[in-house]
Structure formats: structure tokens, C-alpha cells
């Protein structure tokens, strides 16, 4: 059979592409804040598999210890790091003792079938079997992640689905190669041989490796995007929801109430004489007061309530499925929680304006405006109190 491709060229191109993607992943790991979990493991795994591929192309030219022992060790570690990186990325627990035993057995097998008994079948059996198991463990990480997010819109899991497919694809390829090594003769089936079957294995292996790394880049990019979204939805100083997040949540509640007539209430909260605290104690103490106040509010609120900062010393609370009477009771509890003093911080009181959703409301702005009017009335009446409108 006349070879229609050059296996060394194919493997070299795939290795160089994988190496470049490993470098990009490494740069992403260094440049992003907060850190992207798992991306360093992916990066090092990509670089190791790239080195392994390049070393394979040097067989027959470079020493056996380099093109077999070092190459196989790099490939085994690379695929293990892919699995570890994905588990870290998704926050899944790892059990490394079993992996360490499997790695040791596969490495000993590679060494034995290289230096003691020169056996192509033995090398395939040990190396491909190990990579097959590592790929299956990798695929299980994605299966658990997809199951955990069942029901979530598919677009938010695009990177997960894409990478999962190609990880499973690679597992199938390695599984087929492992079974082939066990049950079929291996003469003429070396990595650089040009038989049609070996061309199929090498082509799918190289293609799968490159595409899986594209999946890693996609997952890292999605995490960066989510981090930016989280920053936009979280107040940087206090850690509570930002103005944008609260307005979005209020719009959702408003639309739900228009459909179902389910009540909800809004509390507008403002810290009393906060400028005086900044002037007397400094802005650092003022920041500490805001942070401590938010912790107390979150402790006093229900899990379903939405608490956020509008800006400065102004805060808002959304109370789903809550009547005006219930909102008034909660406002009284928040008044008490607000005055709780903490060591090394000046005391503070708050004024609260209460209102609820009404059928005649045309938009969320109508509700917010009523809450603001009630807040101004509380301040005009002497502060440290709640009033409704």
C-alpha cells in the first residue's frame, strides 16, 4: 500500500498546535484574576502531550530512553493532568491513590516491554490501557457536571458539552486501540507505520487531542466571561448584589406578579448621618461600617430575600411573596439589627421606606419611587424608623 500521508508530519503538526494551545492556557492562567480553576493543569498537560508527540517523531534518530520511556511518561502524565484539571475546574473531588497505583503499574509495564522484553503489543497494552482509563475518568467528570446542571439552558453549558463530546470521542478511540492491542496481532502497527489502520488511529488521536484543547480554551473563556458577569452583579466593597442585579431581580418579580398576582414588597434603606461617620472617623471606618451592616442585614433576612446596594449608603431589599404587613414586621427587625454595635466601629442607625407591588403599577420604577418617598418620610420624621407608602 502506498502511503497517502506522512505520520511524522501529522504528529508534528498536531503536537505543535497542542503546544501552542498549552502556552495560551498558561498565559490565561497567569493573566486572569480571579484565577481560573484547573487551567494550569490543562496547560501543563497540553505541553507534556505536545512534547510526547514530538519525541515520537524522533524515534529511530534519538535514543530509546528519550523516545520511548520519556515520551510515554510525558503522555501518561499529560492525560492524567487533563482529568485533574477538569475536576479542579468544576470543583469535583479527586481520588489520586488509585490513579498513582495505575500510573506505577503502567510505567513499569512500559519499561519492561521496552528494555526486558521488546514487545510492541505489551507497550500498547500498558500505555493505551492507562490512557483509556484516564480518559474514562475524565469523561466521568464531564458527565457529573452535565448531570449536576441538568435543566440549565444549554447555551450556558456550550463549552462543557463541546469538550465532553470530544473527551468521550477520545476515550472511544483509546478503548478501541487497547482492545486491538489485546486481541489482534501488532506487526506493522507501530506509531509511525503507514498502514490504513494505524493511519486511522493516529489521525483520530491527533485530531481529538487538538479539539479537546480547543474545548479547554472554550471552558476557560466561558469562566472569564462568567467572572465578569459576577463582577457586574456584585458590589465590590460589600459583596452584596449590585444595583444592576437588584434591578434585574425586581423586574423579574414585577413580571411574575403581573402574571400570578403574587404580592411582593420593597424596602428602601439608607444609613443615617453616614457622611458624618466618614468625616469623623475616615473613609476606611466608613467602609467597615458598610461591610458590617451588610453582614447583619443578610443574617436577618430570609434566604429568598434579595438584598443589594444601590450606591453610597443606599440599599434595597426585595421581599418575594410578602405583603405590606409582613414587610413592616421585617423592617422592624432590620432596624434592631442595624443598631447592633461591633468592636472598633462607630454605631449606626437606618431609615427604611416600605411599599408593595400594586396592580396599577406600570413598571418597577413606580414601586421604587414609592419606596423612596416612604424613606424620605422616615428621615423627615426623625430617622431610625420605618414608614410605608
Amino acid at each position: 500500500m502506498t502511503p497517502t500521508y506522512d505520520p511524522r508530519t501529522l504528529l508534528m503538526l498536531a503536537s505543535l498546535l497542542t503546544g501552542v494551545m498549552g502556552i495560551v492556557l498558561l498565559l490565561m492562567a497567569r493573566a486572569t484574576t480571579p484565577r481560573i480553576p484547573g487551567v494550569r493543569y490543562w496547560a501543563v498537560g497540553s505541553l507534556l502531550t505536545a512534547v510526547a508527540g514530538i519525541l515520537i517523531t524522533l524515534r529511530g534518530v534519538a535514543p530509546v530512553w528519550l523516545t520511548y520511556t520519556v515520551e510515554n511518561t510525558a503522555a501518561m502524565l499529560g492525560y492524567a493532568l487533563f482529568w485533574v484539571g477538569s475536576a479542579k475546574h468544576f470543583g469535583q473531588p479527586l481520588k489520586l491513590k488509585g490513579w498513582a497505583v495505575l500510573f506505577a503499574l503502567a510505567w513499569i509495564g512500559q519499561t519492561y516491554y521496552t528494555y526486558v522484553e521488546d514487545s510492541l503489543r505489551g507497550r500498547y497494552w500498558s500505555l493505551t490501557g492507562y490512557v483509556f482509563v484516564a480518559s474514562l475518568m475524565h469523561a466521568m467528570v464531564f458527565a457529573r457536571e452535565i448531570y449536576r446542571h441538568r435543566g440549565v439552558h444549554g447555551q450556558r453549558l456550550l463549552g462543557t458539552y463541546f469538550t465532553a463530546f470530544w473527551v468521550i470521542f477520545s476515550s472511544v478511540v483509546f478503548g478501541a486501540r487497547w482492545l486491538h492491542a489485546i486481541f489482534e496481532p501488532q506487526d506493522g502497527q507501530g506509531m509511525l507505520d503507514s498502514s490504513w489502520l494505524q493511519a486511522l488511529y493516529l489521525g483520530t488521536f491527533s485530531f481529538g487531542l487538538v479539539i479537546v484543547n480547543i474545548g479547554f480554551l472554550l471552558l476557560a473563556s466561558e469562566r472569564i466571561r462568567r467572572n465578569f458577569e459576577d463582577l457586574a452583579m456584585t458590589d465590590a466593597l460589600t459583596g452584596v448584589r449590585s444595583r444592576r442585579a437588584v434591578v434585574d431581580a425586581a423586574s423579574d418579580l414585577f413580571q411574575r406578579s403581573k402574571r400570578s398576582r403574587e404580592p411582593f414588597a420593597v424596602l428602601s434603606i439608607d444609613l443615617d448621618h453616614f457622611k458624618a461617620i466618614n468625616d469623623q472617623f475616615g473613609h476606611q471606618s466608613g467602609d467597615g461600617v458598610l461591610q458590617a451592616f451588610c453582614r447583619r442585614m443578610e443574617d436577618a433576612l430570609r434566604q429568598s430575600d434579595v438584598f443589594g446596594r444601590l450606591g453610597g449608603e443606599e440599599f434595597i431589599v426585595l421581599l418575594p411573596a410578602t405583603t405590606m404587613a409582613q414587610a413592616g414586621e421585617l423592617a422592624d427587625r432590620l432596624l434592631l439589627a442595624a443598631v447592633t454595635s461591633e468592636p472598633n466601629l462607630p454605631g449606626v442607625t437606618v431609615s427604611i421606606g416600605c411599599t408593595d407591588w400594586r396592580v396599577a403599577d406600570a413598571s418597577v420604577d413606580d414601586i421604587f419611587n414609592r419606596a423612596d418617598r416612604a424613606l424620605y418620610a422616615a428621615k423627615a420624621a426623625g430617622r431610625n424608623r420605618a414608614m410605608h407608602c
Side-chain angles (χ1 to χ4, degrees):
M1 174 181 175
T2 303
T4 57
Y5 82 109
D6 179 6
R8 293 182 190 270
T9 301
L10 174 63
L11 198 54
M12 180 64 75
L13 287 174
S15 299
L16 290 176
L17 284 172
T18 302
V20 169
M21 285 185 248
I23 293 171
V24 172
L25 285 167
L26 199 59
L27 292 174
M28 292 176 74
R30 292 176 60 87
T32 53
T33 302
R35 301 293 188 188
I36 306 172
V39 72
R40 291 180 183 272
Y41 293 92
W42 290 335
V44 176
S46 298
L47 293 173
L48 284 172
T49 52
V51 168
I54 292 172
L55 289 178
I56 291 174
T57 67
L58 298 178
R59 286 180 180 176
V61 179
V64 170
W65 65 267
L66 182 64
T67 57
Y68 283 85
T69 305
V70 174
E71 177 272 320
N72 289 333
T73 303
M76 290 162 62
L77 286 173
Y79 278 92
L81 289 175
F82 289 161
W83 159 58
V84 172
S86 294
K88 295 280 188 182
H89 186 75
F90 296 124
Q92 297 183 16
L94 287 165
K95 297 180 180 179
L96 297 178
K97 290 184 179 179
W99 165 80
V101 172
L102 179 65
F103 180 90
L105 290 174
W107 192 89
I108 291 170
Q110 281 294 301
T111 304
Y112 177 83
Y113 288 117
T114 301
Y115 299 103
V116 179
E117 179 185 343
D118 187 6
S119 170
L120 180 61
R121 181 194 292 272
R123 287 196 292 272
Y124 271 132
W125 183 86
S126 55
L127 175 65
T128 312
Y130 168 84
V131 176
F132 173 50
V133 173
S135 296
L136 280 180
M137 296 165 71
H138 195 184
M140 288 175 62
V141 168
F142 282 91
R144 285 193 294 267
E145 182 65 12
I146 291 172
Y147 179 77
R148 186 166 69 94
H149 287 91
R150 61 192 183 281
V152 175
H153 195 282
Q155 190 172 5
R156 290 185 61 84
L157 296 176
L158 178 62
T160 303
Y161 285 127
F162 177 87
T163 313
F165 175 84
W166 289 108
V167 169
I168 294 170
F169 171 83
S170 298
S171 300
V172 172
V173 171
F174 285 118
R177 190 65 185 92
W178 182 56
L179 292 173
H180 182 202
I182 294 175
F183 296 110
E184 296 292 333
Q186 298 301 297
D187 296 337
Q189 299 297 327
M191 285 290 290
L192 298 177
D193 292 324
S194 55
S195 66
W196 70 268
L197 186 57
Q198 188 57 27
L200 177 63
Y201 282 135
L202 187 61
T204 52
F205 153 74
S206 302
F207 181 75
L209 180 61
V210 171
I211 298 299
V212 165
N213 273 270
I214 292 175
F216 293 152
L217 289 170
L218 184 58
L219 287 171
S221 299
E222 287 184 346
R223 180 59 66 93
I224 292 172
R225 177 180 56 79
R226 286 199 297 270
N227 287 342
F228 277 118
E229 288 178 353
D230 291 343
L231 286 173
M233 303 298 276
T234 304
D235 179 65
L237 175 63
T238 61
V240 301
R241 289 176 177 83
S242 67
R243 182 187 189 95
R244 172 183 166 184
V246 171
V247 171
D248 287 349
S251 297
D252 291 341
L253 280 174
F254 182 82
Q255 294 301 325
R256 186 192 311 169
S257 294
K258 283 184 65 176
R259 293 191 302 268
S260 65
R261 295 297 190 263
E262 181 181 72
F264 78 92
V266 174
L267 304 182
S268 182
I269 304 176
D270 190 89
L271 275 65
D272 297 329
H273 304 297
F274 185 72
K275 183 177 184 301
I277 293 176
N278 278 332
D279 293 342
Q280 183 176 353
F281 299 97
H283 287 279
Q284 188 171 1
S285 292
D287 290 346
V289 167
L290 291 175
Q291 292 164 346
F293 165 76
C294 288
R295 289 195 298 270
R296 295 196 297 273
M297 293 298 100
E298 289 182 321
D299 289 340
L301 291 168
R302 303 167 300 183
Q303 189 173 6
S304 60
D305 299 334
V306 177
F307 176 57
R309 184 185 182 195
L310 295 182
E313 67 273 21
E314 299 178 44
F315 296 85
I316 197 163
V317 183
L318 308 178
L319 306 172
T322 303
T323 64
M324 179 67 89
Q326 293 168 328
E329 294 174 1
L330 179 59
D332 290 338
R333 293 204 304 270
L334 296 183
L335 287 172
L336 294 175
V339 300
T340 304
S341 60
E342 299 195 18
N344 304 318
L345 287 176
V348 67
T349 62
V350 299
S351 299
I352 302 177
C354 311
T355 193
D356 60 348
W357 170 79
R358 297 166 191 175
V359 176
D361 290 329
S363 69
V364 171
D365 290 338
D366 291 342
I367 307 172
F368 283 0
N369 289 336
R370 277 201 309 276
D372 283 341
R373 290 198 298 272
L375 173 63
Y376 296 144
K379 285 185 173 293
R383 294 183 170 84
N384 190 24
R385 68 194 64 216
M387 299 192 70
H388 68 271
C389 178

